[in-house]
Every structure is written in structure tokens, then in C-alpha cells.
Amino acid sequence: MMPLWLDLLRTPMAAPETKVLKRMRMTILSICAILLVSIAALAPLRAAVGIAAGGVVAALLAVLAVLVPIYVVTKNRADDRHLDTLCEDREP
């Protein structure tokens, strides 16, 4: 029986990140940071723009609700293709 640490070392790694995936990931992280700041500063934001402050937060949440599933599906497809390529290379 193989020790756990050795089994984890033998586990295939994720696919190399493409420019598109990196851009999507950084966009999601940026929107999350903007959302965090806008929620933390909701009172001053409401004083500055009025009732539309809630709309700003809602819009950021809606954008995340669209982008995150797209990123997850794209990343999983890239990982699956990468693992298929690795498995094909190891077969005799």
C-alpha cells in the first residue's frame, strides 16, 4: 500500500492556465474586491448616489453569478483535456 503523501505526489496536476482563463480569474477576483469595498462602504455610497447604491451591489452580484459558472465550466474542460492528453501519452 502506498503512503498518502506519495499517492498525492502522483496525482495529476491541473492544466496550465491559459491567458483567457487567467483573465477570467483575475476579473472575478477584481469584481469580488469591488463588491467587498462597495458593501463595506454602502452608507457613504448611498449618500453619494442615493438609492442606486443597492443597484450597484446587485449588478456586481449578477455579473459574478454569470462569470463564475462560465469560468468553472471552461476550467474543468481545460483540465479534462489536459488529463486526457497525459493519459494518452502514458499508454503504450
Side-chain angles (χ1 to χ4, degrees):
M1 184 154 184
M2 191 179 314
L4 178 63
W5 65 269
L6 185 58
D7 190 36
L8 290 174
L9 282 176
R10 294 173 44 104
T11 303
M13 302 305 270
E17 191 173 48
T18 63
K19 289 181 182 181
V20 172
L21 283 172
K22 184 176 182 178
R23 190 175 321 121
M24 287 176 70
R25 182 174 54 86
M26 296 309 285
T27 301
I28 290 169
L29 289 174
S30 299
I31 292 172
C32 287
I34 293 168
L35 182 63
L36 175 72
V37 169
S38 65
I39 290 173
L42 193 55
L45 188 60
R46 178 169 277 164
V49 290
I51 196 136
V56 170
V57 172
L60 290 170
L61 287 171
V63 169
L64 282 177
V66 171
L67 281 180
V68 170
I70 292 171
Y71 174 79
V72 169
V73 169
T74 307
K75 177 69 174 147
N76 283 336
R77 286 183 182 168
D79 288 345
D80 288 344
R81 267 186 267 121
H82 180 68
L83 289 175
D84 289 344
T85 303
L86 288 177
C87 290
E88 288 173 0
D89 291 345
R90 290 184 182 174
E91 290 179 2

